Amino acid sequence: DQADLSDVKFGNAKLDTVSFQDSKMEKSIMNSFKNVSCGAKISAIQYNPKKPFIAVGCADGVIRVYNSQSLVHEFSLEGHTKNVKDISHSPDGKMLASASEDGDVKLWNVDTVSLIYDLHHGNEVNCVNFSPDGRSVVTGCYKGENLKTWSTINGREIKAFTAEYYPLRTASYSPKGHQIAFNDSHRIKIYDKHLEHRIHYIQNHESPIYHLSYSHNGTMIVTGSKDKTMSLISTPTGKVLKSFVGHTSPVQKVYFSQDDKYVVSASENGTIIVWDI
């Protein structure tokens, strides 16, 4: 069932590439931000979970950070040479990770506005996500060793993993940090955090999966696909609980509301739907 967007407030949910980390932030903030000119095409946006900042990844390789209340430009992080495809903040809000088409993932110190580590992936990087304790990040890239975990303590690669199909578009730690879920074409695979033991192999779509997200309690995963549908998956059993049909173009982003009662999805044509699960 679809829910009325105006009646739903989101905690750690995203609309398109916008992440709402504060439960008081609503869709109106996203609409206001559309009026801000960044000087380049916007490819990723995320709110800082602890600081009043919005980080904006742009096609020119620059991450521009704005005040989340006034939308005044605070500072920029420069270093990438190509489009910034994804952004993630550490749980404490002190670090920002950026993934770029230039093949690098960069870890930034938000307080000092400086580069901490440059992580060389080797191919176009599509996604980056922090672990719940902030001590590592998982990244996914176009091909080759397309899934990697990295230490945010020393900047070293922890584990390299090659998924069967590419590109790897989405990967995430579970809320407790003991699992990593990622797409393998139109399938979802769930491994332990060391990427050594496969827990589930789920064939739940007919076309490549573009995005996945864990529920806050860790018991479910939602996926969005090129086939214009979404799937709700049980993480304990690996079974598909429910499918969502309603979008008329590929589903690019999917997230749970703070209470895990709703899923919000955004498709390629700009349509946003909130689903009552």
Side-chain angles (χ1 to χ4, degrees):
D1 297 331
Q2 296 183 23
D4 183 355
L5 180 63
S6 63
D7 293 334
V8 182
K9 295 183 179 180
F10 301 94
N12 191 24
K14 289 189 178 181
L15 303 182
D16 198 0
T17 52
V18 183
S19 177
F20 292 93
Q21 303 284 0
D22 188 315
S23 60
K24 295 180 181 179
M25 292 183 177
E26 304 178 46
K27 186 187 174 187
S28 59
I29 298 178
M30 183 184 72
N31 291 333
S32 297
F33 193 75
K34 290 179 180 178
N35 298 320
V36 176
S37 176
C38 296
K41 181 180 177 181
I42 295 173
S43 50
I45 303 176
Q46 194 183 58
Y47 281 85
N48 189 305
K50 299 296 183 181
K51 302 176 186 294
F53 293 149
I54 308 171
V56 181
C58 301
D60 60 2
V62 178
I63 299 128
R64 296 168 172 87
V65 179
Y66 296 83
N67 183 285
S68 60
Q69 304 300 320
S70 66
L71 300 182
V72 171
H73 179 256
E74 297 281 352
F75 58 87
S76 294
L77 301 170
E78 300 186 29
H80 286 296
T81 58
K82 293 184 179 180
N83 181 32
V84 177
K85 299 195 72 173
D86 199 16
I87 292 171
S88 180
H89 286 96
S90 59
D92 63 7
K94 294 180 179 180
M95 286 186 290
L96 181 151
S98 54
S100 171
E101 290 180 1
D102 63 13
D104 288 347
V105 173
K106 295 183 185 294
L107 295 180
W108 308 88
N109 185 311
V110 175
D111 292 330
T112 61
V113 192
S114 61
L115 181 67
I116 305 171
Y117 294 116
D118 199 348
L119 315 178
H120 301 288
H121 213 302
N123 287 290
E124 177 180 326
V125 190
N126 294 317
C127 60
V128 59
N129 271 299
F130 274 92
S131 61
D133 62 7
R135 297 175 64 86
S136 62
V137 292
V138 60
T139 60
C141 79
Y142 187 75
K143 59 183 178 179
E145 293 180 330
N146 48 7
L147 183 70
K148 293 186 178 184
T149 54
W150 310 78
S151 169
T152 61
I153 307 302
N154 56 29
R156 295 176 183 173
E157 180 184 299
I158 300 172
K159 181 76 172 182
F161 182 92
T162 303
E164 186 177 356
Y165 297 95
Y166 59 84
L168 197 150
R169 300 178 185 274
T170 179
S172 179
Y173 283 95
S174 62
K176 292 184 179 180
H178 63 293
Q179 296 177 351
I180 294 176
F182 58 94
N183 80 293
D184 202 349
S185 184
H186 58 287
R187 311 165 184 86
I188 287 294
K189 291 183 178 179
I190 302 176
Y191 273 70
D192 69 296
K193 68 177 181 180
H194 304 294
L195 296 174
E196 294 177 353
H197 304 290
R198 193 175 76 191
I199 300 168
H200 293 304
Y201 177 82
I202 307 151
Q203 301 188 55
N204 59 318
H205 285 285
E206 296 179 357
S207 298
I209 293 167
Y210 283 173
H211 196 237
L212 71 84
S213 180
Y214 273 93
S215 61
H216 294 84
N217 62 19
T219 63
M220 296 177 289
I221 287 175
V222 63
T223 60
S225 170
K226 184 180 179 181
D227 64 16
K228 307 173 189 176
T229 69
M230 300 152 56
S231 292
L232 189 68
I233 299 164
S234 166
T235 55
T237 67
K239 302 295 184 181
V240 177
L241 301 173
K242 199 172 187 178
S243 294
F244 301 91
V245 179
H247 281 289
T248 58
S249 64
V251 181
Q252 293 187 323
K253 292 289 177 178
V254 285
Y255 279 85
F256 287 89
S257 61
Q258 186 74 27
D259 57 10
D260 291 332
K261 292 182 179 180
Y262 301 94
V263 167
V264 61
S265 58
S267 63
E268 196 172 83
N269 64 6
T271 301
I272 296 169
I273 300 177
V274 179
W275 309 84
D276 187 340
I277 60 175

